[in-house]
Amino acid sequence: MTSEITLFVNPTAGSGRGARAAQPAASALRDAGFSVRTILGEDADDALRRAREAVALGTGALIAVGGDGMMSLALQAVAGTPTPLGAVAVGTGNDFARALGLPVRDPAAAGRLAGEALKAGTTRAIDLGRVGERWFGSVLASGFDSRVNDRGNRMRWVGGRFKYDLAILAELAAFRPIPYSVRLDGGPVTEIEATLIAVGNGTTYGGGMRICAGAVMDDGLFDVTVVGDCSRTTLLKVFPKVYKGTHLGHPKVTVHRVSSIELASAGVTAYADGEPLGALPLRATCVPGAVRVLAP
């Protein structure tokens, strides 16, 4: 393994924490004996091009500094390659790092952990989800939760978590169950009405909401959480339980463990790792051992 590693930095993550976090992370990696190269991009496409170039040139590791959006970009560069991925999680959600048991908003600790794993030659193989050419590490969301994302992204006049709280209230006011067509593991198509369907490689989304609380990142399977055709009142009772994962015991909630799922529904946008994937229909496949991570 080469002693040069690459920091892949989002300078705007967490209201500027990405740029500030790069320095202590880089210092920790240099203290561990590594040469550190930092790359940024003019935009997401340019950043991904630069990350893929670093991987192709044989960097010893790609270490993403930022939030889940940056982790998602990094996954597109390293999935299916032998290059390990590290995470310095300093964004708003940090669900990918949280699922791996990595430090959150502690860049020096994250840098030290990555350096120790690289020196010891220890990496962990985990699964990824794949939709077409797009990879995801945490959760694919569709339904009520993705509509909250849609609305929150349109709220340019307010920032942070508060805008998503407002978006939740607005979507609740307009809430109706959504008709889906669902196929699990290539079986028969089932027509259902549901509040949301979340496809979990990891456990959480939205900064710690345990929507797929039982998901395991190296078992070769998704945990698919289906919240059924709730009334608005039932949804108000169930939704807060997502933060602890206790919603899974509600009679309107079912979980399916599958290696692939096909989803179709008119007017629903899918999000994966907090980033828009596009409108349904889609087919998601769990790819075992698709990436090696610098994690316990």
Side-chain angles (χ1 to χ4, degrees):
M1 182 193 73
T2 177
S3 63
E4 181 183 88
I5 59 177
T6 303
L7 279 186
F8 184 40
V9 182
N10 179 359
T12 64
S15 301
R17 280 193 299 267
R20 294 191 298 273
Q23 289 187 342
S27 294
L29 289 161
R30 290 188 180 106
D31 288 345
F34 293 96
S35 171
V36 179
R37 174 185 175 223
T38 300
I39 58 173
L40 302 90
E42 296 177 3
D43 53 30
D45 288 341
D46 183 55
L48 179 56
R49 179 188 63 78
R50 292 169 186 256
R52 283 177 167 156
E53 183 178 76
V55 170
L57 290 173
T59 187
L62 186 71
I63 300 179
V65 183
D68 284 325
M70 202 62 176
M71 304 306 160
S72 177
L73 268 185
L75 285 176
Q76 312 315 308
V78 300
T81 78
T83 304
L85 173 67
V88 177
V90 291
T92 303
N94 304 311
D95 289 295
F96 185 70
R98 186 178 287 108
L100 291 171
L102 295 173
V104 171
R105 300 198 183 103
D106 189 344
R112 285 193 299 271
L113 188 150
E116 289 165 3
L118 284 166
K119 286 177 72 174
T122 56
T123 59
R124 176 184 170 193
I126 64 167
D127 311 331
L128 294 177
R130 190 168 191 177
V131 178
E133 296 302 310
R134 180 85 167 268
W135 300 90
F136 67 94
S138 297
V139 176
L140 184 157
S142 73
F144 176 78
D145 43 8
S146 64
R147 288 180 172 174
V148 167
N149 260 320
D150 284 340
R151 188 179 290 270
N153 289 341
R154 295 194 297 269
M155 290 179 168
R156 306 292 185 184
W157 50 275
V158 62
R161 292 293 301 272
F162 181 58
K163 76 175 178 179
Y164 289 101
D165 293 337
L166 291 176
I168 286 171
L169 292 174
E171 284 301 319
L172 278 170
F175 173 73
R176 296 287 186 279
I178 298 166
Y180 283 90
S181 297
V182 183
R183 187 195 300 267
L184 302 176
D185 281 339
V189 174
T190 303
E191 307 290 337
I192 63 171
E193 288 201 339
T195 301
L196 64 87
I197 299 177
V199 182
N201 183 58
T203 54
T204 67
Y205 63 7
M209 299 168 68
R210 296 177 58 79
I211 186 68
C212 299
V216 177
M217 298 182 84
D218 57 3
D219 64 352
L221 297 172
F222 293 132
D223 272 33
V224 177
T225 300
V226 180
V227 180
D229 56 344
C230 296
S231 66
R232 190 179 292 111
T233 300
T234 300
L235 182 56
L236 280 168
K237 291 178 180 177
V238 172
F239 204 75
K241 296 181 179 182
V242 173
Y243 288 94
K244 292 186 177 180
T246 54
H247 64 294
L248 298 181
H250 193 278
K252 284 289 186 180
V253 179
T254 56
V255 176
H256 309 271
R257 290 188 170 90
V258 300
S259 59
S260 68
I261 181 170
E262 297 171 46
L263 293 173
S265 185
V268 175
T269 301
Y271 284 73
D273 295 341
E275 300 296 310
L277 268 180
L280 300 186
L282 61 77
R283 182 176 190 270
T285 303
C286 184
V287 182
V291 66
R292 301 199 70 83
V293 292
L294 301 173

